[in-house]
């Protein structure tokens, strides 16, 4: 039985096809349309997946959408009534898209599917939004029982849900409903700091460590957040003080005047200089949500005594929160999937149909995140200003390691593309983590992005604990701290500005160590194919078991999908060489 799972219309549209519980292929629409966070109906992705499997749409047995539009629309109508007349303008602005596509999804689906040749009658099914998240994280794990916590902005009505799972049964044990949302709280601060909601939250997470935890300003910000903006009871009940928020009835997330009066800080605009005030503000909300999540998990533990924890929903893109959860003693094992946000809902919806609706208990091993296509290289793709050489596998690894040791920044393109937001070694930009200026060089001359942003290390799983306090982070889900023996001691950081901190070398691996001695870690094993071989080769030659790994893309663009995408990125940047399969491509004037 082949099941097609679809998520779309809000952000990060995606498609997945599973067969008898095994994920065959999955991709986000943005990889094909080249529109970051593309939310449109994923017709490109559907055709891509069908083509990959060499099947027609008529060979699909079931199609399922990752949430229930009618239930969501009912919440929108209720919200309009509750906040009238403030909500009338945004309601009028949004209603056409609902009437046109979102509400009557079956009609839209039929039209789109007919265009690609659907002739048989397939009844479109719907999963609840938080069930899609819960099914994804649980059924991708190896657990036979687990506690599940889902946190996002909002699904249909739910913003936080507690679940208990056993075999193929998932049961909701508690919910927090809109508008009380931890995800929207974090997004409100993202918005107030001048970053884009639903895509800039990770920037705020990276900005937070530049704040000063010992400063009175940080302490005042944190205290005011806890006293004025939210309430968390001992039983895990979470509520927002809606007097300070406007996301229910406008494009603004918050009441600017009330926030300015409360915090003494005006809203930052996108191009404004980042100041230490902004860093302290980011650090305050980061620490608040970390504490709230641990309280929620204490309540979940009381509701279900499993030692296994699964986390899902876009909120858990916050790898710092995840690292704190992993290092806590609340649960023995913690699992977070490779695409924890809405794109993963396509996989989760399909798995929920197979395991729950059709009552199949047997699990397939779906740990490998490389779910896209594999591309064949042709010299015809190259322009005259590029050179190419082909090597056998051993020689290729030797040449690449030599280039890395010589300080070169490399585009690394191998095999099937990763599903989700992280580059996990098949569509990556890599460098030697020991480079003193590597972080600045990649930020400014390769990625063209903010200089304060950190980079991740990919490290051999067998060596992880020799360098960090976390040993298993195969999808780059967790932030951990570098061990003391790898830190440079007696370093004084001037907390008066970002610039005074970001270039200070505080570890033996400056390109991957953030200002607070942390890193968002990817642990690498045989699952990672040639990337694993490269790390082993680099380790044997240098004694260093890790590489800087960042996504192969430019600022504001999706990760590259095809070889053409990789070549476009290579030609637009100061990357030194591009490795595609066993070919090394260079610029003649490079």
């Amino acid at each position: 039985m082949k099941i097609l799972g679809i998520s779309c219309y809000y952000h990060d549209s995606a498609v997945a096809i599973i067969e008898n519980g095994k994920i065959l292929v999955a991709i986000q629409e943005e990889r094909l349309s080249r529109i970051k966070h593309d939310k449109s109906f994923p017709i490109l992705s559907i055709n891509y997946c069908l083509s990959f499997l060499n099947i027609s749409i008529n060979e699909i047995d079931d199609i399922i959408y990752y949430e229930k539009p009618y239930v969501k629309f009912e919440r929108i109508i209720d919200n309009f009534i509750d906040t009238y007349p403030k909500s009338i303008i945004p309601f009028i602005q949004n209603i056409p898209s609902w009437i046109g596509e979102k509400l009557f999804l079956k009609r839209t689906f039929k039209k789109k599917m007919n265009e690609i040749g659907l002739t048989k009658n397939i009844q479109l099914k719907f999963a609840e939004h938080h069930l899609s998240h819960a099914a994804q994280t649980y059924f991708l794990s190896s657990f036979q029982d687990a506690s599940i916590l889902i946190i996002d902005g909002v699904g249909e009505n739910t913003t936080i849900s507690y679940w208990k799972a056993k075999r193929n049964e998932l049961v909701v044990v508690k919910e927090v409903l809109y508008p009380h949302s931890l995800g929207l709280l974090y997004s409100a601060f993202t918005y107030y700091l001048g970053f884009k909601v639903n895509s800039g939250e990770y920037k705020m997470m990276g900005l937070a460590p530049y704040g000063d935890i010992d400063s009175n300003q940080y302490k005042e910000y944190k205290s005011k957040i806890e006293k004025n903006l939210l309430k968390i009871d001992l039983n895990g009940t979470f509520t927002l003080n809606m007097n300070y928020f406007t996301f229910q009835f406008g494009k603004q997330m918050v009441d600017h005047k009330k926030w300015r009066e409360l915090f003494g800080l005006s809203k930052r605009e996108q191009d404004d200089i980042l100041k230490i005030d902004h860093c302290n503000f980011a650090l305050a909300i980061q620490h608040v949500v970390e504490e709230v999540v641990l309280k929620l998990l204490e309540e979940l533990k009381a509701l279900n005594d499993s030692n296994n924890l699964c986390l899902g929903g876009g909120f858990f893109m916050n790898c710092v929160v995840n690292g704190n959860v992993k290092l806590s003693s609340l649960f023995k094992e913690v699992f977070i999937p490779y695409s924890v946000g809405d794109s993963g809902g396509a996989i989760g919806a399909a798995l929920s149909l197979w395991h729950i609706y059709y009552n199949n208990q047997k699990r397939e091993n779906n740990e490998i995140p490389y779910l896209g296509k594999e591309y064949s290289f042709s010299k015809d793709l190259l322009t005259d200003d590029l050179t190419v050489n082909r090597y056998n596998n051993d020689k290729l690894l030797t040449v690449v390691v030599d280039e890395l040791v010589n300080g070169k920044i490399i585009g690394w393109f191998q095999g099937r593309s990763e599903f989700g937001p992280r580059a996990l070694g098949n569509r990556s930009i890599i460098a030697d983590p020991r480079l003193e200026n590597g972080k600045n060089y990649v930020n400014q001359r390769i990625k063209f992005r903010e200089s304060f942003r950190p980079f991740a290390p990919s490290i051999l799983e067998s060596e992880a604990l020799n360098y960090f306090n976390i040993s298993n982070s195969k999808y780059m889900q967790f932030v951990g701290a570098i061990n003391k023996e790898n830190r440079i001691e007696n370093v004084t950081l001037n907390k008066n500005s970002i610039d005074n901190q970001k270039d200070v070398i505080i570890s033996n691996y400056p390109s991957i160590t953030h200002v607070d001695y942390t890193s968002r870690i990817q642990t690498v094993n045989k699952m990672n194919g040639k990337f694993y071989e490269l790390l082993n080769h680099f380790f044997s030659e240098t004694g260093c078991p890790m590489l800087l790994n960042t996504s192969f893309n430019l600022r504001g663009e999706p990760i590259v999908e095809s070889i053409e995408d990789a070549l476009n990125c290579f030609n637009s940047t100061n990357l030194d060489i591009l490795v595609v399969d066993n070919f090394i491509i260079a610029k003649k004037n490079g």
Side-chain angles (χ1 to χ4, degrees):
M1 174 178 281
K2 293 185 178 67
I3 298 172
L4 172 67
I6 298 174
S7 66
C8 61
Y9 287 141
Y10 300 99
H11 50 87
D12 300 308
S13 297
V15 165
I17 296 178
I18 72 169
E19 183 174 43
N20 298 341
K22 180 68 175 178
I23 305 170
L24 302 180
V25 60
I27 191 169
Q28 291 174 243
E29 187 77 356
E30 69 168 22
R31 299 289 185 95
L32 305 172
S33 69
R34 309 308 300 159
I35 300 170
K36 188 73 170 175
H37 301 300
D38 194 343
K39 64 181 181 179
S40 60
F41 189 90
I43 195 68
L44 296 175
S45 297
I46 292 171
N47 283 322
Y48 171 102
C49 291
L50 294 174
S51 173
F52 175 83
L53 297 176
N54 195 26
I55 62 174
S56 79
I57 189 64
N58 292 296
E59 293 174 73
I60 296 295
D61 298 290
D62 260 311
I63 303 179
I64 185 166
Y65 187 63
Y66 81 127
E67 64 179 15
K68 296 187 173 182
Y70 282 105
V71 180
K72 192 161 198 166
F73 188 66
E74 183 179 9
R75 186 256 299 167
I76 290 170
I77 295 295
D78 288 342
N79 182 73
F80 166 68
I81 294 170
D82 291 342
T83 59
Y84 181 86
K86 293 179 179 179
S87 58
I88 190 165
I89 292 177
F91 182 79
I92 291 172
Q93 290 173 338
N94 291 323
I95 201 67
S97 66
W98 273 96
I99 300 300
E101 285 189 303
K102 297 177 184 177
L103 185 59
F104 302 107
L105 189 62
K106 287 186 177 181
R107 182 178 65 189
T108 303
F109 156 78
K110 184 177 181 180
K111 178 183 177 182
K112 299 287 188 182
M113 294 300 102
N114 287 344
E115 289 174 0
I116 61 173
L118 180 65
T119 58
K120 71 178 186 179
N121 183 26
I122 300 180
Q123 187 71 30
L124 180 63
K125 295 181 174 66
F126 300 88
E128 291 182 348
H129 188 103
H130 272 223
L131 174 62
S132 294
H133 283 313
Q136 186 211 14
T137 185
Y138 176 63
F139 291 122
L140 291 185
S141 78
S142 60
F143 306 146
Q144 290 301 310
D145 67 84
S147 295
I148 305 172
L149 181 64
I150 306 299
I151 304 178
D152 59 9
V154 59
E156 291 86 357
N157 288 295
T158 307
T159 65
I160 301 173
S161 57
Y162 306 71
W163 302 70
K164 60 180 180 181
K166 191 169 185 178
R167 293 185 291 274
N168 65 327
E169 296 180 1
L170 276 68
V171 178
V172 180
V173 293
K174 190 171 183 176
E175 292 180 319
V176 176
L177 302 180
Y178 182 87
H180 304 291
S181 169
L182 189 62
L184 290 176
L185 172 67
Y186 200 78
S187 291
F189 278 79
T190 301
Y191 162 82
Y192 204 70
L193 282 170
F195 302 122
K196 190 175 180 180
V197 172
N198 290 330
S199 66
E201 284 80 0
Y202 62 94
K203 295 182 183 181
M204 187 171 73
M205 181 183 70
L207 183 68
Y210 291 97
D212 184 357
I213 195 171
D214 295 319
S215 69
N216 290 330
Q217 186 182 56
Y218 157 80
K219 294 172 184 176
E220 289 174 5
Y221 285 156
K222 187 169 183 287
S223 176
K224 288 178 178 179
I225 294 169
E226 293 170 332
K227 291 179 180 178
N228 296 277
L229 297 190
L230 73 152
K231 182 180 180 182
I232 180 74
D233 294 332
L234 292 176
N235 64 355
T237 300
F238 173 84
T239 55
L240 294 179
N241 181 352
M242 296 309 300
N243 291 325
Y244 285 92
F245 299 90
T246 58
F247 56 75
Q248 285 183 280
F249 48 81
K251 291 185 177 180
Q252 294 183 180
M253 293 291 292
V254 304
D255 186 312
H256 290 190
K257 181 180 179 181
K258 289 182 179 178
W259 276 49
R260 186 168 58 249
E261 291 174 350
L262 177 63
F263 295 111
L265 182 71
S266 297
K267 182 188 180 302
R268 175 183 172 267
E269 298 305 320
Q270 184 176 351
D271 295 326
D272 290 351
I273 295 173
L274 282 164
K275 300 178 180 179
I276 203 65
D277 301 12
H278 303 123
C279 303
N280 286 330
F281 199 59
L283 184 62
I285 187 58
Q286 178 65 38
H287 284 171
V288 168
V289 298
E290 289 171 17
E291 292 169 9
V292 169
V293 168
L294 290 177
K295 289 180 180 178
L296 296 178
L297 289 173
E298 288 173 359
E299 174 67 5
L300 177 60
K301 185 74 172 179
L303 294 168
N304 185 35
D305 61 358
S306 175
N307 285 319
N308 302 316
L309 174 66
C310 293
L311 299 175
F315 176 85
F316 288 110
M317 288 288 290
N318 193 312
C319 303
V320 178
V321 168
N322 301 346
N324 285 342
V325 172
K326 188 177 180 69
L327 293 171
S328 75
S329 58
L330 286 170
F331 294 87
K332 184 177 180 181
E333 300 290 341
V334 180
F335 178 80
I336 304 172
Y338 38 78
S339 181
V340 75
D342 275 15
S343 61
I347 291 175
L351 290 174
S352 74
L353 191 63
W354 174 251
H355 286 293
I356 300 172
Y357 185 83
Y358 288 118
N359 193 28
N360 289 294
Q361 293 189 14
K362 182 183 176 182
R363 302 271 194 93
E364 295 292 332
N365 184 349
N366 286 313
E367 73 166 345
I368 296 177
Y370 308 115
L371 300 174
K373 283 185 179 180
E374 186 169 4
Y375 295 82
S376 297
F377 175 77
S378 169
K379 292 182 180 180
D380 294 337
L381 297 172
L382 301 183
T383 54
D384 292 338
D385 57 342
L386 298 177
T387 64
V388 62
N389 289 290
R390 189 183 188 282
Y391 301 92
N392 64 38
N393 203 57
D394 288 341
K395 181 63 175 177
L396 176 86
L397 297 177
T398 298
V399 172
V400 172
V401 167
D402 287 344
E403 296 282 18
L404 288 166
V405 170
N406 288 328
K408 298 297 178 65
I409 313 298
I410 297 175
W412 178 261
F413 185 105
Q414 302 290 325
R416 298 179 67 178
S417 57
E418 304 95 330
F419 183 81
R422 308 289 189 214
L424 299 174
N426 278 15
R427 302 288 187 274
S428 292
I429 292 172
I430 57 176
D432 188 333
R434 301 169 299 176
L435 295 175
E436 290 187 4
N437 64 342
K439 183 162 53 178
N440 281 340
Y441 186 89
V442 176
N443 268 329
Q444 296 170 11
R445 303 194 63 190
I446 307 295
K447 303 281 280 188
F448 305 115
R449 68 182 198 179
E450 300 91 343
S451 61
F452 70 85
R453 303 263 296 278
F455 289 105
S458 295
I459 185 167
L460 292 170
E461 185 177 271
S462 58
E463 292 293 319
L465 283 179
N466 292 328
Y467 295 82
F468 300 98
N469 62 348
I470 284 178
S471 61
N472 184 356
S473 181
K474 59 187 176 182
Y475 306 130
M476 214 179 279
Q477 320 102 299
F478 302 104
V479 162
I482 197 164
N483 294 345
K484 288 186 177 181
E485 56 266 32
N486 292 304
R487 301 180 184 185
I488 295 176
E489 301 294 344
N490 301 318
V491 174
T492 301
L493 292 175
N494 184 340
K495 286 287 188 175
N496 291 325
S497 75
I498 295 175
D499 289 338
N500 289 336
Q501 302 177 66
K502 66 182 180 62
D503 297 331
V504 177
I505 296 174
I506 59 173
S507 89
N508 297 324
Y509 306 93
S511 291
I512 54 85
T513 308
H514 203 21
V515 66
D516 59 349
Y517 294 104
T518 64
S519 297
R520 188 184 69 199
I521 302 160
Q522 179 199 8
T523 52
V524 176
N525 57 34
K526 290 182 179 179
M527 174 189 80
N528 303 99
K530 192 177 287 187
F531 193 51
Y532 171 71
E533 296 176 26
L534 176 63
L535 273 169
N536 268 312
H537 204 89
F538 189 78
F539 184 32
S540 65
E541 292 297 316
T542 67
C544 174
M546 71 181 97
L547 290 170
L548 179 155
N549 175 17
T550 187
S551 56
F552 197 161
N553 67 305
L554 299 176
R555 179 186 182 186
E557 292 186 359
I559 299 174
V560 301
E561 166 62 24
S562 67
I563 296 174
E564 290 90 339
D565 296 335
L567 285 167
N568 288 336
C569 187
F570 180 58
N571 288 324
S572 303
T573 67
N574 291 292
L575 279 170
D576 295 299
I577 62 173
L578 170 61
V579 182
V580 178
D581 296 332
N582 281 51
F583 295 88
I584 294 182
I585 301 163
K587 299 165 185 171
K588 288 182 180 178
N589 297 321

